[in-house]
C-alpha cells in the first residue's frame, strides 16, 4: 500500500465521518419553538405568494396539504442553480454558480471513477460499452468540473479580496480555503491534461485502491494531484464549506418547518420532554436549576421573590 | 473612522462612542418630502453618560447602567461569557438551540442579507447596523471562547474580539438596533437568520445578566404577570373600560351592545392587545359591533393576563415568554372556549399561534386563529353586509412582519380590503416581502431617552417612504388617505411616524386597523364610524 493510497482512504473516511457527525449533531438537537419563514415551498397553492394554512378559517379542522413536488422543485432550483443567490446577489452568483456547479460535476466525476473501477471488479469488459461510456463521462465531468471550480474559486477569491464589505468580514481561513481549491483544481486540471488526458491512469489508480492493491503512481505530478485531492476531500467537511449539511436543516427543520402540534401528537411528546430539562440561567427573575415546566410557569420578580 | 467603515473587532475600542451618526447620511425621501431635513438625534448629556451606556452610537435603547467599579465590570463580562455557553446548551436553550446553532455556525459571509435590511439601508449603510455585523461579533466571541485549538486557529478563523466591558455593553445595545423583522433571513441563500441571532443576544443579556429594556421587562412582562396587563390595567379597570366602550358604541352608532365577559363555553375568546383599549378604543368597539351583528358567540376574558394578548417575552426572554403564554393558555382552558381569536396584534399572533404552537399542550391546546381569517369569512361570505362606497378614499395596507413573513397570513386581509375599499392600493414591496414599520420587536413602545429619535429617522424611514409612495397620485392634503395597519404595535409606530413627518397636516394621512374599515362599511351601522381626526 502506498502513502498516497492511505491518504485517499483517510480523506474519504474523514470526509464521510465529518459529514455524518455534523448531520447527527444538528439532527440530535431538541425540538425548538416554531420559527418558520414564508414563503414555505410545500404550502400547496400558496407557496408563490407566501401563504400558509393559517389563512384558512378553523385551519386545525382542515387537512394539511403538503406539496412535495413544489418543495422538490424549489430544492432543485436552489441546489442546482443557486436560485437565492441569483435573485438577491447577482454579482456573487456569477462566480458562486460555476464554483458550486463545478463541485457537483467533480463529485460526479469521483463517483464515476469509483463506478468504473467497481465495474471492472465486477468483470465488465474494459473495452466494452459500459466502461467506455464511463470513461467518456469521466472525461466530460472531470474537465468541466475542474475548470468550473477553478474559475469559480478564482472569481470568489478575487471578489472576497476586492470588495471591502466582504473583506471586512472574512477571516484568513476563508482566503486559505479558496486558495486551496485553486491550487488543487489547477494542479489536477493541468496534470490530467498533460499526463493522463483520457483519465486512464486515474481510473487504474481507483481500481487498485478500491481493491486494496498497491497503486503505483510513477509520475510525481499525479502523486501530487492525488495527495492534494485527498487532503481537500478531508478538509472541506471540517470547515464551514460543508454548509450544505447545515442548509438542509436550515430549510427543513427551521424555515419550512410548519408542522402543527395537534393535541396528543408526537410533537407534544417531544416538547414535554424538553419542559423537563433543568435550566441554569442566572438572572434575578429566574429560579436557578428549576425545570422549564417549573421556571416557565412560576412567576418571580427580579429579586427572586415569588 | 467613518460610520461606514467600522469593523467587528472595533466594538471593543476604548473610546467614548464607537459611531457618530450623521443624519445627513440617512436616505432621502420621495416627494413631497424630497426637501425634508431631519433634526440631529438628541445628544445624551454627559451626566447621563456617566450613569448609562451610550458608547455605541450615542443612542440609548437598552438602558444599561454603567458599573461603578472595574470589578463590577469584570463580573458582568464573566457572566456574559457564561451566558454564551448557555446559548449552546440544550437544557438552557432547547427553545431555539437548533436554529441558533445553524445560524451561528454556517454564515458564509456573502453579505447578501445587507441589502434586505431596512435599518442598514436607511441609515446610509452605517456598518454596525449591517445584519452581519452584530451576528459576527457574537460569532467571533463564541468561536474564540469555544475553540478547542487555541489562539492560532482563533486568529485564522477571525475569532479576534477581546471581550471587554465596552464589547459587552455595546453588544447589549446593538441587539436593539434590529427589529427582528427577519427580512435578511428571507434573502439569505443559506437560510441564516440574523434576526434570530439578535434575539438570542437579547435573551442572553436578559436571562443571565438581567439586562433588558424597562419597557419590555419591568413595565412589560413583569407588570403583565403581576397586574394583568403591561398597560397597568387591572381587572377592575378593564370593567370600567368595557363599560365606557359600550356607552361609546351607543353614542357613535346608536347600537346597544353588551360586551360579553367570561362567557364560559363561548365559541370565540377574543384576545386584544390591551394597548388598543387605551389608545384606540374604536378598535375594540369595532370588533364588538362586528361580532354582535354577525351573531357570533364570543367573549372577552377578565382573568389576570387574559385580557391582554401582548407577550413581550417573544422579543427578549424565553422564560418570560413562556410564563405569559402559558397564562394565556390557562385562561382559555378555564373558560372552555372553542377557539381563541387573535385581535389585531402581530406579535400576539405569532406568540399564540406560531411559537405558541409548541407551548400550549394537552388540555390547554385550544385552537387559535387570526381575526383576519375570521373577517374574511364574515365579509367575503356576506355574513355581514358592506357598502364599499363608504370607504371610497385611498387605502394602503401595511403588512405586520409577524403576521405575514413569520406566519404566512397574506391574502385574507387583502380579500377583505378588495371588498370594502375601492381605492385600495398595495405598497411596494408587500406581503411576505414587506418592510417592517420600524417599531417591531418592542421598539414601538420604547419611548425613553433619545431612542424614539433614532426610531423615527432610521428604523421607520423605509416604511414612511413606502407609505407616501403608495399615495403618490393623491399625496396632497385635499384627499383623505388611510394606512391600514392590522397590528397594535405597528399602529403605534405608524402614528409616531406620521406625527414626526407631519403627514397628517401635510398630506392628510390617517392610520388605523382593518376592523374599523369593515365596520365603517357595514350597512347595519350608522354611517361615519370612522372619524377623520388624528390621534
Ligand atoms: S447571513 Fe446569509 S446572506 Fe448574510 S452573509 Fe451570512 S450567509 Fe450571506
Ligand atoms: S431582522 Fe430585520 S432589522 Fe434585523 S438585521 Fe435582519 S433585516 Fe435588519
Amino acid at each position: 500500500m502506498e502513502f498516497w493510497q492511505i491518504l485517499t482512504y483517510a480523506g474519504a473516511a474523514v470526509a464521510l465521518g465529518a459529514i455524518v457527525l455534523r448531520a447527527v449533531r444538528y439532527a440530535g438537537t431538541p425540538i425548538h419553538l416554531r420559527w418558520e419563514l414564508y414563503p414555505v415551498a410545500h404550502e400547496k397553492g400558496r407557496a408563490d405568494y407566501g401563504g400558509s394554512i393559517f389563512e384558512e378559517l378553523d385551519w386545525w379542522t382542515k387537512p394539511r396539504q403538503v406539496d412535495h413536488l413544489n418543495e422538490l422543485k424549489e430544492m432543485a432550483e436552489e441546489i442546482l442553480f443557486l436560485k437565492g443567490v441569483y435573485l438577491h446577489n447577482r454579482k456573487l452568483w456569477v462566480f458562486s454558480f460555476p464554483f458550486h456547479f463545478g463541485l457537483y460535476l467533480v463529485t460526479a466525476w469521483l463517483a464515476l471513477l469509483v463506478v468504473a473501477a467497481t465495474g471492472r471488479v465486477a468483470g465488465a469488459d474494459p473495452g466494452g460499452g459500459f466502461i467506455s461510456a464511463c470513461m467518456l463521462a469521466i472525461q466530460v465531468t472531470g474537465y468541466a468540473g475542474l475548470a468550473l471550480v477553478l474559475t469559480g474559486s478564482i472569481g470568489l477569491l478575487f471578489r472576497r479580496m476586492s470588495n471591502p464589505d466582504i473583506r471586512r468580514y472574512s477571516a484568513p481561513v476563508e482566503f486559505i480555503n479558496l486558495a486551496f481549491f485553486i491550487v488543487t483544481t489547477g494542479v489536477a486540471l493541468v496534470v490530467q491534461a498533460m499526463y493522463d488526458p483520457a483519465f486512464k491512469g486515474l481510473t487504474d489508480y481507483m481500481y487498485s485502491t478500491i481493491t486494496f492493491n498497491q497503486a503505483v503512481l510513477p509520475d510525481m505530478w499525479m502523486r501530487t494531484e492525488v495527495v492534494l485531492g485527498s487532503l481537500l476531500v478531508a478538509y472541506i467537511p471540517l470547515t464551514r464549506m460543508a454548509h450544505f449539511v447545515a442548509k438542509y436543516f436550515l430549510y427543513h427543520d427551521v424555515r419550512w418547518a410548519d408542522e402543527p402540534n395537534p393535541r396528543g401528537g408526537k410533537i407534544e411528546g417531544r416538547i414535554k420532554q424538553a419542559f423537563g430539562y433543568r435550566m441554569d440561567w442566572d438572572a434575578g427573575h429566574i429560579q436557578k436549576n428549576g425545570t422549564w415546566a417549573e421556571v416557565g410557569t412560576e412567576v418571580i420578580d427580579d429579586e427572586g421573590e415569588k | 473612522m467613518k460610520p461606514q467603515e467600522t469593523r467587528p473587532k472595533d466594538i471593543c475600542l476604548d473610546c467614548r462612542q464607537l459611531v457618530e451618526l450623521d443624519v445627513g447620511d440617512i436616505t432621502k425621501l420621495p416627494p413631497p418630502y424630497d426637501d425634508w431635513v431631519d433634526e440631529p438625534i438628541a445628544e445624551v448629556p454627559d451626566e447621563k453618560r456617566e450613569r448609562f451606556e451610550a458608547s455605541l452610537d450615542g443612542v440609548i435603547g437598552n438602558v444599561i447602567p454603567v458599573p461603578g467599579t472595574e470589578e463590577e465590570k469584570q463580573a458582568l463580562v464573566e457572566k456574559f461569557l457564561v451566558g454564551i455557553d448557555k446559548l449552546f446548551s440544550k437544557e438552557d436553550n432547547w427553545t431555539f438551540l437548533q436554529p441558533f446553532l445553524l445560524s451561528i455556525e454556517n454564515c458564509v459571509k456573502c453579505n447578501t442579507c445587507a441589502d434586505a435590511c431596512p435599518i442598514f439601508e436607511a441609515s446610509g449603510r452605517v456598518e454596525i447596523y449591517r445584519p452581519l455585523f452584530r451576528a459576527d461579533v457574537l460569532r467571533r466571541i463564541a468561536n474564540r471562547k469555544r475553540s478547542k485549538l487555541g489562539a492560532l486557529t482563533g486568529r485564522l478563523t477571525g475569532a479576534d474580539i477581546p471581550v471587554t466591558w465596552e464589547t459587552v455593553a455595546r453588544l447589549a445595545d446593538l441587539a436593539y438596533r434590529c427589529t427582528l423583522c427577519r427580512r435578511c433571513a428571507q434573502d439569505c441563500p443559506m437560510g441564516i437568520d440574523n434576526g434570530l441571532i439578535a434575539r438570542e443576544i437579547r435573551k442572553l443579556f436578559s436571562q443571565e445578566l438581567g439586562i433588558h429594556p424597562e419597557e419590555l421587562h419591568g413595565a412589560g412582562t413583569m407588570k403583565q404577570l403581576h397586574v394583568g396587563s403591561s398597560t397597568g390595567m387591572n381587572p377592575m379597570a378593564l370593567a370600567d373600560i368595557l363599560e365606557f366602550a359600550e356607552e361609546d358604541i351607543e353614542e357613535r352608532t346608536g347600537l346597544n351592545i353588551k360586551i360579553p365577559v367570561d362567557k364560559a363555553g363561548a365559541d370565540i375568546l377574543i384576545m386584544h392587545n390591551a394597548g388598543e383599549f387605551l389608545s384606540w378604543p374604536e378598535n375594540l368597539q369595532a370588533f364588538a359591533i362586528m361580532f354582535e351583528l354577525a351573531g357570533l358567540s364570543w367573549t372577552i376574558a377578565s382573568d389576570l393576563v387574559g385580557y391582554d394578548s401582548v407577550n413581550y417575552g417573544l422579543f427578549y426572554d424565553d422564560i418570560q415568554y413562556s410564563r405569559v403564554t402559558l397564562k394565556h393558555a390557562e385562561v382559555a382552558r378555564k373558560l372552555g372556549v372553542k377557539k381563541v381569536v387573535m385581535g389585531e396584534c402581530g406579535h400576539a399572533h405569532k406568540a399564540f399561534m406560531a411559537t405558541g404552537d409548541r407551548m400550549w399542550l394537552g388540555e390547554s391546546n385550544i385552537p387559535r386563529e387570526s381575526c383576519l381569517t375570521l373577517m374574511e369569512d364574515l365579509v367575503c361570505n356576506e355574513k355581514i353586509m358592506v357598502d364599499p362606497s363608504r370607504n371610497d378614499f385611498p387605502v394602503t395596507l401595511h403588512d405586520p412582519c409577524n403576521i405575514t413573513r413569520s406566519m404566512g397570513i397574506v391574502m385574507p386581509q387583502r380579500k377583505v380590503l378588495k371588498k370594502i375599499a375601492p381605492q385600495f392600493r398595495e405598497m411596494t414591496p408587500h406581503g411576505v416581502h414587506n418592510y417592517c414599520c420600524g417599531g417591531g420587536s418592542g421598539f414601538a413602545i420604547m419611548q425613553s431617552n433619545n431612542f424614539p429619535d433614532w426610531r423615527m429617522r432610521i428604523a421607520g424611514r423605509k416604511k414612511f417612504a413606502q407609505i407616501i409612495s403608495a399615495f403618490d397620485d393623491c399625496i396632497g392634503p385635499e384627499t383623505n388617505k388611510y394606512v391600514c395597519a392590522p397590528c397594535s404595535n405597528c399602529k403605534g409606530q405608524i402614528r409616531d411616524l406620521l406625527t414626526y413627518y407631519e403627514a397628517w397636516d401635510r398630506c392628510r394621512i390617517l392610520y388605523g386597523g382593518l376592523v374599523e374599515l369593515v365596520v365603517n362599511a357595514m350597512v347595519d351601522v350608522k354611517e361615519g364610524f370612522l372619524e377623520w381626526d388624528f390621534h
Side-chain angles (χ1 to χ4, degrees):
Chain A
M1 197 64 49
E2 301 286 349
F3 162 70
W4 42 87
Q5 281 181 289
I6 295 172
L7 260 188
T8 303
Y9 294 130
V14 170
L16 205 67
I19 289 171
V20 170
L21 271 182
R22 207 173 258 251
V24 167
R25 180 161 164 266
Y26 291 138
T29 48
I31 192 162
H32 57 82
L33 300 188
R34 264 175 77 172
W35 200 251
E36 70 262 35
L37 188 64
Y38 291 85
V40 169
H42 57 236
E43 285 288 351
K44 196 166 198 161
R46 297 189 171 106
D48 57 335
Y49 67 85
S52 77
I53 195 169
F54 286 142
E55 293 187 324
E56 294 273 340
L57 187 75
D58 294 337
W59 61 266
W60 55 94
T61 63
K62 312 277 164 72
R64 181 167 173 251
Q65 296 193 314
V66 178
D67 187 345
H68 294 293
L69 209 62
N70 197 53
E71 184 173 309
L72 281 176
K73 182 179 144 273
E74 281 289 323
M75 283 170 64
E77 285 175 351
E78 188 54 43
I79 294 168
L80 289 176
F81 304 116
L82 305 189
K83 186 179 167 190
V85 186
Y86 180 80
L87 290 176
H88 304 300
N89 195 344
R90 198 68 55 90
K91 283 186 186 147
L92 176 68
W93 185 85
V94 172
F95 300 120
S96 194
F97 172 67
F99 178 75
H100 284 87
F101 201 77
L103 280 180
Y104 303 146
L105 291 179
V106 166
T107 310
W109 170 58
L110 294 175
L112 282 164
L113 284 170
V114 175
V115 168
T118 315
R120 274 167 61 182
V121 174
D125 175 6
F130 176 73
I131 297 291
S132 303
C134 280
M135 291 310 291
L136 184 65
I138 284 169
Q139 287 176 53
V140 173
T141 52
Y143 284 125
L146 291 169
L148 283 171
V149 174
L150 180 62
T151 319
S153 43
I154 291 173
L156 289 172
L157 183 64
F158 172 73
R159 195 174 147 73
R160 206 165 270 282
M161 282 165 43
S162 61
N163 182 321
D165 288 347
I166 299 185
R167 199 176 54 222
R168 198 172 292 133
Y169 293 91
S170 301
V173 73
E174 269 129 0
F175 298 102
I176 295 171
N177 293 346
L178 286 168
F180 197 174
F181 269 103
I182 293 170
V183 170
T184 307
T185 51
V187 166
L189 203 56
V190 172
V191 168
Q192 287 305 138
M194 288 183 62
Y195 299 96
D196 185 25
F199 291 84
K200 168 114 186 25
L202 208 58
T203 316
D204 289 343
Y205 172 75
M206 194 57 86
Y207 175 74
S208 306
T209 303
I210 71 162
T211 52
F212 299 99
N213 289 314
Q214 187 179 20
V216 182
L217 283 174
D219 187 86
M220 194 268 284
W221 284 108
M222 277 200 75
R223 292 203 290 269
T224 310
E225 177 192 354
V226 167
V227 168
L228 279 174
S230 303
L231 289 175
L232 186 63
V233 165
Y235 177 69
I236 295 172
L238 299 175
T239 70
R240 212 172 17 237
M241 286 185 295
H243 52 251
F244 57 92
V245 180
K247 191 162 176 175
Y248 173 85
F249 289 98
L250 275 161
Y251 274 73
H252 289 84
D253 280 5
V254 183
R255 209 173 163 150
W256 293 347
D258 62 345
E259 189 183 348
N261 165 34
R263 206 182 281 183
K266 66 177 191 310
I267 292 182
E268 191 173 285
R270 292 175 64 196
I271 302 165
K272 282 185 174 158
Q273 189 188 355
F275 266 99
Y277 292 144
R278 281 193 185 280
M279 69 169 84
D280 195 32
W281 292 102
D282 201 29
H285 63 285
I286 301 167
Q287 58 272 54
K288 241 174 129 59
N289 211 25
T291 64
W292 278 82
E294 293 157 1
V295 181
T297 48
E298 187 154 13
V299 182
I300 61 169
D301 63 23
D302 290 327
E303 282 69 50
E305 302 294 327
K306 285 190 186 165
Chain B
M1 185 183 350
K2 284 180 32 197
Q4 285 77 8
E5 291 174 355
T6 319
R7 297 161 307 166
K9 70 173 172 194
D10 295 334
I11 197 158
C12 69
L13 288 181
D14 184 10
C15 58
R16 181 175 180 268
Q17 191 172 310
L18 183 60
V19 168
E20 297 288 342
L21 295 176
D22 177 355
V23 287
D25 288 341
I26 300 173
T27 47
K28 298 282 166 268
L29 287 163
Y33 283 86
D34 34 355
D35 57 354
W36 179 263
V37 180
D38 295 283
E39 289 290 315
I41 292 172
E43 278 281 329
V44 177
D46 282 345
E47 62 84 20
K48 192 161 220 171
R49 276 178 187 266
E50 282 167 21
R51 290 185 294 129
F52 300 105
E53 282 294 335
S55 69
L56 176 69
D57 51 3
V59 176
I60 298 183
N62 192 3
V63 183
I64 305 158
V66 177
T69 63
E70 285 307 311
E71 289 71 35
E72 280 176 46
K73 284 183 181 171
Q74 197 47 41
L76 287 167
V77 169
E78 297 297 332
K79 271 196 125 179
F80 168 76
L81 289 170
V82 170
I84 287 188
D85 284 337
K86 293 181 187 173
L87 287 182
F88 286 87
S89 123
K90 80 171 183 194
E91 285 78 13
D92 291 307
N93 197 22
W94 68 268
T95 41
F96 286 98
L97 179 62
Q98 191 189 39
F100 172 65
L101 267 188
L102 289 163
S103 283
I104 203 79
E105 289 181 351
N106 292 288
C107 169
V108 294
K109 320 280 176 67
C110 66
N111 251 322
T112 308
C113 48
D115 291 337
C117 177
I119 291 179
F120 178 58
E121 184 189 332
S123 69
R125 301 177 82 85
V126 168
E127 201 56 32
I128 57 169
Y129 304 149
R130 188 186 286 275
L132 180 53
F133 186 96
R134 83 177 63 72
D136 217 40
V137 169
L138 181 69
R139 183 174 291 121
R140 288 174 189 224
I141 295 172
N143 282 350
R144 183 181 170 122
K145 182 162 185 342
R146 302 174 79 239
S147 166
K148 296 188 179 66
L149 297 173
L152 172 68
T153 53
R155 262 201 300 281
L156 278 178
T157 56
D160 55 359
I161 301 185
V163 186
T164 61
W165 168 248
E166 284 73 21
T167 311
V168 172
R170 285 177 183 141
L171 189 61
D173 208 8
L174 188 54
Y176 290 87
R177 300 294 183 277
C178 159
T179 61
L180 315 185
C181 76
R182 304 178 74 205
R183 205 168 184 275
C184 52
Q186 208 174 32
D187 279 9
C188 170
M190 276 293 298
I192 305 290
D193 191 339
N194 287 318
L196 174 97
I197 292 177
R199 186 181 179 278
E200 293 295 291
I201 298 172
R202 293 179 179 196
K203 215 164 91 176
L204 187 169
F205 280 100
S206 181
Q207 296 179 184
E208 189 66 18
L209 290 89
I211 292 176
H212 23 229
E214 172 63 11
E215 292 94 334
L216 298 185
H217 187 72
T221 51
M222 276 302 180
K223 195 188 264 184
Q224 188 179 14
L225 288 164
H226 288 295
V227 181
S229 162
S230 57
T231 58
M233 185 196 305
N234 61 24
M236 259 153 50
L238 173 75
D240 289 345
I241 282 170
L242 295 181
E243 197 185 316
F244 169 78
E246 288 165 355
E247 285 166 17
D248 209 26
I249 290 173
E250 186 156 13
E251 212 167 284
R252 291 164 81 138
T253 65
L255 294 167
N256 185 3
I257 282 176
K258 183 99 194 95
I259 296 177
V261 179
D262 296 332
K263 195 167 113 191
D267 288 348
I268 292 171
L269 165 63
I270 176 102
M271 287 216 186
H272 291 292
N273 177 323
E276 301 282 347
F277 299 173
L278 303 178
S279 301
W280 304 284
E282 64 275 14
N283 183 274
L284 158 76
Q285 294 167 21
F287 269 106
I289 294 168
M290 185 178 71
F291 282 3
E292 282 297 307
L293 295 189
L296 302 183
S297 153
W298 68 289
T299 188
I300 279 183
S302 75
D303 255 8
L304 216 60
V305 183
Y307 51 88
D308 189 356
S309 66
V310 308
N311 189 341
Y312 295 142
L314 186 71
F315 301 144
Y316 78 101
D317 186 306
D318 286 350
I319 288 130
Q320 292 295 87
Y321 166 71
S322 164
R323 288 170 178 168
V324 174
T325 201
L326 294 177
K327 276 265 187 291
H328 283 141
E330 181 59 15
V331 169
R333 189 195 62 77
K334 259 174 57 189
L335 276 176
V337 293
K338 295 208 175 66
K339 63 182 173 189
V340 179
V341 168
M342 309 315 309
E344 294 187 1
C345 177
H347 89 275
H349 267 72
K350 183 163 156 183
F352 277 69
M353 296 169 67
T355 46
D357 186 45
R358 294 185 181 169
M359 278 273 163
W360 293 35
L361 306 178
E363 296 271 281
S364 301
N365 192 352
I366 313 288
R368 281 88 74 199
E369 98 180 348
S370 169
C371 64
L372 302 175
T373 42
L374 187 63
M375 271 192 260
E376 182 199 346
D377 178 53
L378 297 178
V379 172
C380 298
N381 294 329
E382 302 190 345
K383 294 178 181 171
I384 52 176
M385 300 310 292
V386 290
D387 172 7
S389 70
R390 291 187 180 185
N391 286 333
D392 196 9
F393 43 82
V395 174
T396 191
L397 174 67
H398 164 65
D399 283 299
C401 304
N402 286 315
I403 291 179
T404 52
R405 198 164 16 254
S406 284
M407 292 181 64
I409 303 175
V410 181
M411 292 314 286
Q413 56 273 46
R414 292 179 158 73
K415 287 183 187 159
V416 171
L417 280 170
K418 282 182 184 148
K419 213 56 192 170
I420 63 167
Q423 295 192 51
F424 167 58
R425 72 272 312 280
E426 293 280 12
M427 293 188 196
T428 308
H430 57 264
V432 293
H433 302 291
N434 73 322
Y435 281 108
C436 174
C437 62
S441 79
F443 285 12
I445 56 159
M446 287 165 62
Q447 298 284 11
S448 54
N449 299 299
N450 58 356
F451 191 72
D453 285 7
W454 180 86
R455 179 159 57 87
M456 291 302 104
R457 288 158 183 75
I458 295 180
R461 186 69 147 216
K462 200 75 195 173
K463 180 52 62 181
F464 184 67
Q466 274 196 296
I467 291 173
I468 49 176
S469 299
F471 294 129
D472 61 356
D473 59 332
C474 55
I475 197 67
E478 58 287 349
T479 312
N480 282 342
K481 297 167 279 286
Y482 188 91
V483 183
C484 171
C487 166
S488 204
N489 283 335
C490 301
K491 248 175 2 198
Q493 165 74 357
I494 290 172
R495 172 197 58 205
D496 293 353
L497 282 175
L498 298 179
T499 306
Y500 171 71
Y501 292 104
E502 302 160 7
W504 172 247
D505 293 332
R506 290 172 62 143
C507 307
R508 228 47 191 180
I509 301 177
L510 188 67
Y511 70 99
L514 179 60
V515 69
E516 293 92 319
L517 280 181
V518 170
V519 171
N520 195 50
M522 281 174 70
V523 294
D524 292 335
V525 179
K526 198 167 82 186
E527 272 193 60
F529 180 80
L530 198 71
E531 289 171 358
W532 289 92
D533 72 321
F534 192 87
H535 61 284

